[in-house]
Every structure is written in structure tokens, then in C-alpha cells.
Amino acid sequence: MARMIRKVLIANRGEIACRIAATCRKLGIISVAVYSEADRDALHVRSCDEAVLIGPSDAAQSYLLPDRLVAAARETGADAIHPGYGFLAENPDLARRCAEAGIVFIGPKPEAIVAMGSKLQARRIASEHGIPTVPGYDGADQSDEALAAAAQRVGFPLLIKASAGGGGKGIRIVDDAEGFATALDLVRRESTAAFADSSVLLERFIPAGRHIEVQVFGDTHGNLVHLFDRECSLQRRHQKVFEEAPAPLLPAALRLRLLENSVRLAKAIDYSSLGTVEFLYDPQSGDCYFLEM
């Protein structure tokens, strides 16, 4: 028999936590907010039915600690934890701790998170399954010297992206070699603060690239389907502003290939949740590359 969820702890803050709380209210589910000292009076705290303090202002000492979140769920009697996006949404530790504590994790299985949670690992898996990735560097050597040398090989302009990044954080465009070291330091600092992970990857910057996404949905019985595509190219600060479905003026053969590649990738990692496979389409060359999931 399926387990009924009556109370959800939202392991996030800000806009996404408010949206989850609103959905819980519509479904008759009790919502529990978590907050740091800095967010005591934040909107997401007021939007939930209950709230628990989980630590000081530094996210690394509050929102990024799975044990604190599981303890808060136990304290409030929450049946499930919803990670939202960012923070621990792509970190398998929280999913594992939930399973150990008998708490439902609203998201993919830990193994799938491991496979796709790191942009470095995701690129490698996509390549192994014949799905092209943006030309760049995803090597294990993360030293300043190795990254600077790789940047010269990739060519400028390029993107420095946090491997654990999400929500538009941890990404910089670098126009020339002179600005590389400064941008690398900024990305590492931002990624460490937000995701407790300083690793990065480099990608060729494609100015005219179109951001195309495919939604996939998998259940726990091995069934997996795509829910078609959408255009997400209109962005501000690397955050999507407008989405249009289906993606307009996309060649039929390319659309079919994107849908098939998305399902193949999701099946390869035994995905069992609702997820998004993201691609970058270069209209000038006709090439289309996997970005992340």
C-alpha cells in the first residue's frame, strides 16, 4: 500500500519553499519550514504551518547539513522531506539519510543523484551513451595550472561552471585569458558557499545557442517517458525568465533526437522522479549538446 504523506519538511528557503508550501496547503498537507538565524523573519517561514531553526546564518552550518534537516523532520513528525532546488537537491547524502530514518525523500534515488548531481559526472555519462556534450574540460585535475591550460585548449570566450551548481549560481563567462584566474576564484568561492563543492568544468561559450529542455518522468516500476520539449533561451543572470512549449522552429529530426536522447539518458541511471534534461542547440552549426540534468 502506498504511504500517505501528511506533513512535509521543506529543506530550502525563498521562492521555491513558498511555492512548495502553497502546493502543500492546496493538498491538505502540513508544511514545515526550516530557517537559519538570518532567515528568522523570511517569507518562507511565515508561509509554512510550522518552522524549525536549524543553525546560524552560514548555509554550510544550516541548510547544507543533512543531519540537521533529518533531525528537524523527526522533531516535527514530518513524513517526507522536499529539497526544492539548489542546496541539497542534487546531493545524495540527504536522500540516503532520509531512507535510513524512514522518511520519504521527494526526489530521485541516491544513485541517480550521484550520476547526475555533478555536472562533471553527468557529462561523462552522456558521452558514454553517445550523447554529445559541449566542447570543454571535465577532467579530475582541478588545479589552477590544469584549468588554465584547458582554458587555452577550449578557447575564449568560455564558461566556467560549478560542477555542483544550480539555480543560476556558480557560472561565469570569461572573454579572455587575462580574466580567467579572477573568474575561476569567484566561481569557486560561490560554489563552496552555496554547495560545499569547489570543483568546476569549462565549456565553450556559444553566444547564439538556444537552451532546449526535455521533461522526463519515471516511476518506481521501471516506466519512463518524456513529456516533450520546451524553449528556455530567454534568461537573466543564467536564470530562465520565459519558457515556451514546444520549442519553436526546431527541426523535426532534431526534436526527435532530443526526446530519444533524454529518455535514453534517464533510463541509463534508472531515474524515478520528474526531471529535466537540458541541451544547448547551436543554430549556426546545427549541433546540439547535452548540458545537464
Side-chain angles (χ1 to χ4, degrees):
M1 179 180 292
R3 178 176 174 181
M4 293 294 293
I5 295 176
R6 304 183 186 280
K7 182 183 285 192
V8 172
L9 182 137
I10 305 169
N12 216 299
R13 65 183 179 189
E15 174 262 351
I16 184 59
C18 293
R19 286 169 54 192
I20 296 168
T23 300
C24 286
R25 188 170 299 109
K26 290 179 181 179
L27 297 173
I29 296 172
I30 299 170
S31 60
V32 180
V34 292
Y35 63 93
S36 70
E37 290 285 1
D39 298 322
R40 185 178 295 274
D41 299 316
L43 179 60
H44 80 276
V45 177
R46 303 195 302 272
S47 299
C48 290
D49 301 302
E50 301 177 23
V52 179
L53 175 66
I54 56 170
S57 301
D58 186 356
Q61 299 181 53
S62 52
Y63 296 100
L64 289 171
L65 295 177
D67 287 342
R68 294 273 179 91
L69 299 168
V70 171
R74 283 173 164 165
E75 175 186 336
T76 57
D79 308 297
I81 291 180
H82 195 316
Y85 58 73
F87 282 145
L88 296 177
E90 297 178 5
N91 186 312
D93 289 343
L94 179 57
R96 293 194 186 104
R97 305 289 173 82
C98 285
E100 293 166 359
I103 297 170
V104 175
F105 179 75
I106 301 177
K109 291 179 287 189
E111 296 79 9
I113 299 176
V114 169
M116 288 290 118
S118 161
K119 290 181 175 63
L120 292 170
Q121 177 73 0
R123 278 174 56 95
R124 295 165 190 159
I125 293 174
S127 296
E128 289 170 2
H129 288 82
I131 302 172
T133 60
V134 181
Y137 176 78
D138 55 17
D141 190 343
Q142 291 283 305
S143 66
D144 291 355
E145 296 76 15
L147 290 168
Q152 292 291 346
R153 292 194 299 271
V154 174
F156 295 92
L158 58 73
L159 289 172
I160 303 176
K161 300 172 72 173
S163 176
K169 295 182 179 180
I171 183 170
R172 290 286 189 283
I173 299 173
V174 185
D175 293 319
D176 50 51
E178 287 71 25
F180 182 78
T182 299
L184 175 61
D185 182 63
L186 288 172
V187 171
R188 282 174 168 166
R189 288 173 180 270
E190 187 172 324
S191 182
T192 299
F195 311 108
D197 185 343
S198 64
S199 57
V200 303
L201 60 103
L202 310 179
E203 289 181 349
R204 179 187 299 163
F205 179 57
I206 302 174
R210 292 174 56 186
H211 191 116
I212 310 295
E213 298 184 350
V214 176
Q215 199 85 50
V216 293
F217 183 74
D219 63 20
T220 57
H221 305 286
N223 301 303
L224 200 144
V225 297
H226 69 75
L227 300 178
F228 300 97
D229 56 275
R230 60 179 180 256
E231 175 95 26
C232 306
S233 300
L234 184 58
Q235 301 187 9
R236 182 172 183 267
R237 297 177 181 173
H238 309 295
Q239 286 277 61
K240 290 169 284 188
V241 176
F242 183 83
E243 299 182 357
E244 181 178 359
L249 303 176
L250 201 63
L254 173 61
R255 191 189 308 275
L256 179 60
R257 188 162 73 248
L258 294 183
L259 299 178
E260 291 176 343
N261 283 346
S262 298
V263 171
R264 184 162 76 252
L265 183 66
K267 285 184 175 180
I269 60 170
D270 192 24
Y271 198 76
S272 59
S273 187
L274 187 67
T276 303
V277 185
E278 304 184 18
F279 298 91
L280 185 68
Y281 171 47
D282 184 354
Q284 295 181 349
S285 67
D287 294 323
C288 195
Y289 306 104
F290 167 79
L291 281 178
E292 61 187 43
M293 183 176 182

